[in-house]
Amino acid sequence: TQYRKFYSGGHEKTPVNQSHWVLMAKEVIPNSRKKSYKDQLKLVQKYNIGEVQYEVPGLLDATVSIFLEYVQTGKRLFSDSPYTYTRCQETWKNKGEAKMLLIGGFSASGLAVTITDDFEGYGISVSWQFY
């Protein structure tokens, strides 16, 4: 496993405050591609029922989940066939401009962590942390 593109936005040393488990969807939410972040968040909220509160995955949680699935099964989630990325909670800030970080496009050359631009492969997934 490796990265083929890695724009972490300074989040590569973000500490984990508490050990936790993460349940993350293996794909983006249906019909979440080509939508604004605001509209994608509305789709995330539809999954929240009772005590289970899903959220946009964090960069570290998504990275670990994607790599562990590959190590265990050989399957590349959020792959390049078709190109699929999920937005993450973190942003990349440069000269006062903030862009959402994305992870995906996992191919034989590695996993990409990048910033948002308009592209039809960008959707949104959900994750649930529990302690």
Side-chain angles (χ1 to χ4, degrees):
T1 58
Q2 63 186 11
Y3 294 101
R4 65 178 171 80
K5 188 185 281 189
F6 189 72
Y7 295 105
S8 69
H11 296 283
E12 64 275 1
K13 294 183 181 180
T14 301
V16 175
N17 295 327
Q18 183 179 4
S19 296
H20 60 276
W21 291 95
V22 173
L23 176 65
M24 183 173 161
K26 292 184 175 186
E27 298 187 11
V28 294
I29 296 173
N31 302 315
S32 69
R33 297 173 193 257
K34 296 184 183 181
K35 294 195 183 304
S36 69
Y37 183 59
K38 182 179 175 182
D39 289 339
Q40 289 175 338
L41 284 178
K42 289 177 186 175
L43 294 172
V44 170
Q45 295 306 314
K46 289 182 178 182
Y47 285 82
N48 292 337
I49 301 170
E51 294 181 26
V52 177
Q53 296 294 304
Y54 288 98
E55 60 186 9
V56 177
L59 181 60
L60 180 60
D61 289 340
T63 302
V64 171
S65 297
I66 292 168
F67 278 150
L68 283 177
E69 179 70 19
Y70 179 72
V71 168
Q72 184 176 6
T73 69
K75 182 175 182 181
R76 290 186 182 100
L77 302 178
F78 301 91
S79 74
D80 65 336
S81 182
Y83 272 102
T84 302
Y85 291 78
T86 181
R87 293 184 196 254
C88 294
Q89 293 176 9
E90 293 83 0
T91 57
W92 176 81
K93 296 177 184 170
N94 186 23
K95 298 178 184 175
E97 183 182 15
K99 292 189 175 191
M100 301 291 303
L101 287 175
L102 300 151
I103 189 165
F106 196 4
S107 67
S109 62
L111 183 65
V113 176
T114 188
I115 55 176
T116 55
D117 286 319
D118 291 329
F119 177 68
E120 65 185 48
Y122 299 162
I124 199 160
S125 187
V126 293
S127 67
W128 176 43
Q129 288 185 8
F130 48 104
Y131 305 90

